[in-house]
Amino acid sequence: MSVPAGLTARERFLRACRGEPVDRPPVWLMRQAGRYLPEYRRVREGISFLDMCRDVERAVTVSLQPVELLGVEAVILFSDIFVPVLGLGIDVDFRPGPMIGEPLRTRDQIHALRVEDPRQTVPYVFEIVRGLRRALSGPQIPLLGFAGAPFTLAAYLVEGAGSRSFSAMKRMLYREPALMRTLLDVLTEMTVAYLGAQIEAGAEAVQLFDTWAGLLAEDDYRKWVLPTHQAIVERVRGGGAPLILYVNDGAHVLESMLESGADVLSLDWRCDMGMAARRAGRRASLQGNLDPCILAAPREEIFSRVRRIAEQARPARGHILNLGHGCLPDTPVEGVRAFVEAAKSLAAGSA
Ligand code: CP3
């Protein structure tokens, strides 16, 4: 298969997801709309983060900023993994990380959860998706939707907030496995409905964030996490949008990630890209995996790291350049700009 001339950003991205030849890897950054951008902080002024997620106009504006200011080649919906959780009737606040009003610790709380239609409970999300799709039809930039994966959502919902070890969640998993399974099943239902509605509203690819699943050893990951990913991939795939699976600190579960059926695996920087590319082969494309802190390094260093990652990823069927985790609030904008330029300077065959 040869590379068609003059690919649009949308074609390059979707082809890379499916493992079809492209001229060079497309580039975007996780958490590309955020506090490191002065223009984001200006729009965010005087309004809470959750209200920003409900404000269609502001959310569309900040989603588009990284394209206009930095030239990234994909847009991700501005929202948070906890927005659909509001539709379960759970109270969530951000300070700045998520805080759960009443952490889920009992059978009664978990058995009372009901999954409603997200188009009814959080309609603004789909208005943002539709607004973005309209804005991106001219420049032909792909639009990504996303959701948090059941394990990561459960980790926060049981723990009540972020944690280094999520030990309350893991305790429930080992002490009350049937209850944890019920919670994961509810969250799987919610995620399937939520991603399906985003695709219906115009998302062209979706990313599933399982940030904390790497906390489990491989056998527990296979038992608790893999079936949730397989169910989501199988039920969302009908929508025709490729699915990208992100697990932070997940090098030890790479084989299980491949078994999820996801089109693209998004890797963190501790996972060796060369090894992952050889293991993945034609089974999945890869995304990643620069350490976000390297964006503070000199421009030449960023360029050389990008060339190295692209080179290591060559045995994979497709590669999307990205960070290994979200862009941090103290990231220099110049570093992000250098990252995007470095990616665009890569030519097919010369990576
Ligand atoms: O990537 C993007 O630009 C799209 C928007 C997006 C946000 N959160 C916006 C956000 C996405 C995809 C997320 C995903 C998310 N949220 C994850 C999974 C990915 C990851 O980073 O591991 C998780 C675990 C969360 C939960 C969450 N939300 C945390 C831990 C925090 C605090 C982080 C921090 O930077 O302090 C948030 C808040 C949040 N989500 C912000 C943004 C832009 C900062 C809010 C602000 O403006 O104050």
Side-chain angles (χ1 to χ4, degrees):
M1 276 195 290
S2 62
V3 183
L7 289 177
T8 65
R10 167 177 289 135
E11 288 164 343
R12 185 180 292 110
F13 189 92
L14 294 173
R15 290 176 68 90
C17 288
R18 296 188 294 249
E20 296 163 9
V22 288
D23 48 356
R24 60 171 173 81
V27 59
W28 69 285
L29 296 85
M30 290 190 268
R31 202 59 78 75
Q32 62 191 12
R35 286 166 294 178
Y36 76 98
L37 276 176
E39 291 82 357
Y40 170 87
R41 294 198 298 270
R42 221 166 288 144
V43 179
R44 168 82 163 70
E45 229 164 76
I47 180 171
S48 73
F49 172 64
L50 255 185
D51 282 340
M52 271 262 290
C53 295
R54 298 185 187 112
D55 185 320
V56 175
E57 203 183 310
R58 288 195 215 213
V60 167
T61 300
V62 297
S63 306
L64 296 175
Q65 284 176 343
V67 174
E68 291 152 5
L69 299 166
L70 306 160
V72 300
E73 298 177 299
V75 163
I76 185 161
L77 156 74
F78 183 83
S79 191
D80 195 81
I81 59 171
F82 284 95
V83 167
V85 166
L86 300 171
L88 288 178
I90 294 173
D91 179 37
V92 186
D93 198 8
F94 287 85
R95 297 181 219 152
M99 303 285 294
I100 310 305
E102 281 180 50
L104 301 180
R105 298 286 171 90
T106 68
R107 203 188 142 74
D108 285 353
Q109 280 174 300
I110 290 172
H111 282 260
L113 297 172
R114 292 285 170 272
V115 179
E116 312 277 350
D117 184 345
R119 292 169 296 193
Q120 307 291 324
T121 55
V122 290
Y124 43 88
V125 171
F126 312 104
E127 278 179 56
I128 298 167
V129 171
R130 285 188 287 268
L132 286 171
R133 194 54 199 273
R134 272 195 300 277
L136 295 170
S137 64
Q140 292 283 305
I141 305 263
L143 173 61
L144 277 66
F146 72 91
F151 183 87
T152 289
L153 292 173
Y156 284 98
L157 293 176
V158 173
E159 203 76 37
S163 154
R164 275 178 74 85
S165 60
F166 287 96
S167 53
M169 189 275 184
K170 285 169 87 176
R171 244 186 340 259
M172 183 187 287
L173 187 146
Y174 295 120
R175 214 147 69 180
E176 296 176 274
L179 191 55
M180 180 54 71
R181 185 57 74 194
T182 302
L183 176 57
L184 291 173
D185 286 347
V186 169
L187 294 170
T188 300
E189 284 304 313
M190 182 191 84
T191 304
V192 167
Y194 187 56
L195 289 175
Q198 289 181 39
I199 295 167
E200 180 191 80
E204 296 164 287
V206 290
Q207 180 153 333
L208 186 64
F209 286 94
D210 219 344
T211 305
W212 299 110
L215 285 173
L216 295 182
E218 168 133 62
D219 56 347
D220 281 322
Y221 179 101
R222 292 185 75 78
K223 180 170 170 191
W224 292 101
V225 177
L226 178 58
T228 65
H229 295 170
Q230 286 172 328
I232 292 167
V233 169
E234 198 178 289
R235 293 174 59 194
V236 167
R237 173 141 313 128
L243 189 140
I244 306 170
L245 171 64
Y246 173 74
V247 175
N248 185 35
D249 214 349
H252 63 298
V253 294
L254 181 66
E255 192 56 38
S256 302
M257 288 174 74
L258 284 163
E259 287 177 33
S260 68
D263 301 274
V264 184
L265 304 184
S266 191
L267 309 173
D268 76 277
W269 60 95
R270 286 150 291 200
C271 185
D272 183 82
M273 184 58 90
M275 175 278 294
R278 287 188 299 276
R279 290 263 291 275
R282 297 297 310 166
R283 290 195 282 170
S285 301
L286 301 179
Q287 175 172 271
N289 68 343
L290 190 79
D291 181 337
C293 293
I294 293 175
L295 299 180
R299 186 179 161 84
E300 307 75 59
E301 178 70 17
I302 296 172
F303 268 70
S304 101
R305 298 280 189 149
V306 164
R307 278 195 297 271
R308 179 143 170 268
I309 291 172
E311 165 99 47
Q312 291 176 321
R314 287 190 79 79
R317 64 175 204 180
H319 177 220
I320 298 166
L321 263 163
N322 204 317
L323 303 178
H325 200 172
C327 207
L328 298 162
D330 58 0
T331 302
V333 177
E334 280 320 302
V336 177
R337 205 165 270 135
F339 179 66
V340 173
E341 279 173 34
K344 291 183 175 177
S345 76
L346 297 166
S350 68

